[in-house]
Amino acid sequence: MKKPKIGVALGSGGAKGFAHIGVLKVFEEEGVPIDMMAGSSMGALACALYGVGHNWESMKKLAIAFNRLHYLDLTVPKTGLINGRKVTGLIKAITHQKRFEDCRLPIGIVATDLKTGERVVFKKGWLYEAVRASISIPGIFTPVKIGGKILVDGGVIDRVPATVVRDMGADIVIAVDVGGFTPKQDIRTIFDVITLSIDIMQEQIVKLQQSSADIVLKPPVAMLSPKALANIDHLVEIGEETARAQLPMIWEMIGAWKERL
């Protein structure tokens, strides 16, 4: 019997994106097939790691070993506070310097072109370049220049790229949204100001984009800080719990697709 092609869209959300690891853990353990993936920002990094062969366990180990010193190459503020050379080297290493064409499944990575205001979807070329562009939070990381484009965080224009995996040929789209705005009183840094502003702008956009997904997993992490590197275990657990709760719906949808066929 023919099987549906399952596409997974992993959304942006800073450190809250570690919840993606918990979702992938459940999919691996329960045999939920993934035929293609697309991601924005932290979701883009998760897609790239999965694409080059990492499983949820090795992804969690990388997350725990992560240290802010790896990317804090501060620069004189012009187009961003962080130059990004160190984080580029880190991404290049953990993606094994592979290209999209080397991945075990099709991958799409989303960035935003500041010059045109358009979404840019990478599906070929160097993974590390696309991921570096997709994680470039405006004002924090300097933008990435590729092919005449000036690229920043994919989450600015497409927080959860469900339409991308749909366009890639997915029959069933599972979106994982780790973003969302929660009112906060403790706003201390420029990082807080920028990320909260983006969260607010995205709220209405993402409601329209998620209509392209068949199932939306929304781990309850909106109340946590995008900088919550100390809560990795907790974030992974939240992602796992959310995915397990939705497993019956996922299998039901796969079964219903086969019956319709």
Side-chain angles (χ1 to χ4, degrees):
M1 180 181 290
K2 186 177 179 181
K3 298 179 180 179
K5 294 180 180 178
I6 309 296
V8 175
L10 302 181
S12 63
K16 293 182 288 186
F18 292 131
H20 291 316
I21 299 173
V23 173
L24 293 175
K25 175 184 179 182
V26 173
F27 287 3
E28 287 181 21
E29 292 180 345
E30 301 298 329
V32 177
I34 302 176
D35 297 293
M36 59 201 71
M37 302 177 78
S40 288
S41 199
M42 184 62 87
L45 178 58
C47 286
L49 292 175
Y50 190 84
V52 300
H54 287 281
N55 60 17
W56 75 268
E57 290 179 296
S58 59
M59 291 170 69
K60 183 178 177 181
K61 288 177 182 177
L62 286 173
I64 292 173
F66 190 79
N67 188 306
R68 282 196 179 93
L69 294 178
H70 284 142
Y71 65 80
L72 283 182
D73 48 353
L74 298 176
T75 185
V76 177
K78 185 176 181 183
T79 58
L81 296 173
I82 298 173
N83 183 282
R85 290 194 185 94
K86 287 185 178 180
V87 77
T88 299
L90 176 63
I91 296 168
K92 187 183 293 188
I94 63 180
T95 57
H96 310 314
Q97 298 191 47
K98 289 190 175 183
R99 300 172 65 87
F100 283 82
E101 295 85 349
D102 301 320
C103 290
R104 56 178 169 173
L105 75 171
I107 298 290
I109 288 179
V110 177
T112 306
D113 186 356
L114 281 182
K115 293 175 71 174
T116 64
E118 296 177 343
R119 182 178 71 180
V120 176
V121 182
F122 290 93
K123 297 179 184 176
K124 59 183 180 180
W126 294 107
L127 279 168
Y128 75 87
E129 288 185 341
V131 173
R132 168 64 177 87
S134 189
I135 67 168
S136 299
I137 302 169
I140 303 296
F141 285 100
T142 57
V144 174
K145 296 179 181 179
I146 299 177
K149 298 178 173 62
I150 298 179
L151 303 171
V152 295
D153 199 307
V156 170
I157 198 166
D158 198 351
R159 187 171 87 195
V160 187
T163 57
V164 175
V165 280
R166 181 72 75 190
D167 292 342
M168 291 168 68
D171 297 308
I172 296 175
V173 176
I174 302 173
V176 186
D177 184 6
V178 295
F181 172 71
T182 299
K184 294 178 175 65
Q185 299 299 322
D186 189 18
I187 301 173
R188 298 181 178 181
T189 68
I190 186 173
F191 187 91
D192 294 328
V193 172
I194 292 172
T195 55
L196 285 172
S197 298
I198 292 173
D199 285 346
I200 293 169
M201 289 188 293
Q202 287 175 339
E203 277 304 285
Q204 293 304 312
I205 299 173
V206 79
K207 291 176 183 177
L208 298 174
Q209 292 169 336
Q210 284 183 348
S211 63
S212 296
D214 298 293
I215 299 174
V216 178
L217 307 184
K218 194 167 177 60
V221 294
M223 74 296 297
L224 299 176
S225 168
K227 301 179 293 183
L229 293 176
N231 297 321
I232 291 172
D233 285 327
H234 182 48
L235 285 162
V236 173
E237 288 174 5
I238 292 175
E240 181 179 356
E241 291 169 1
T242 301
R244 289 199 185 282
Q246 295 296 323
L247 270 177
M249 182 181 295
I250 292 171
W251 288 122
E252 181 180 345
M253 185 160 291
I254 292 173
W257 186 93
K258 292 179 180 179
E259 289 178 10
R260 288 199 305 271
L261 185 65

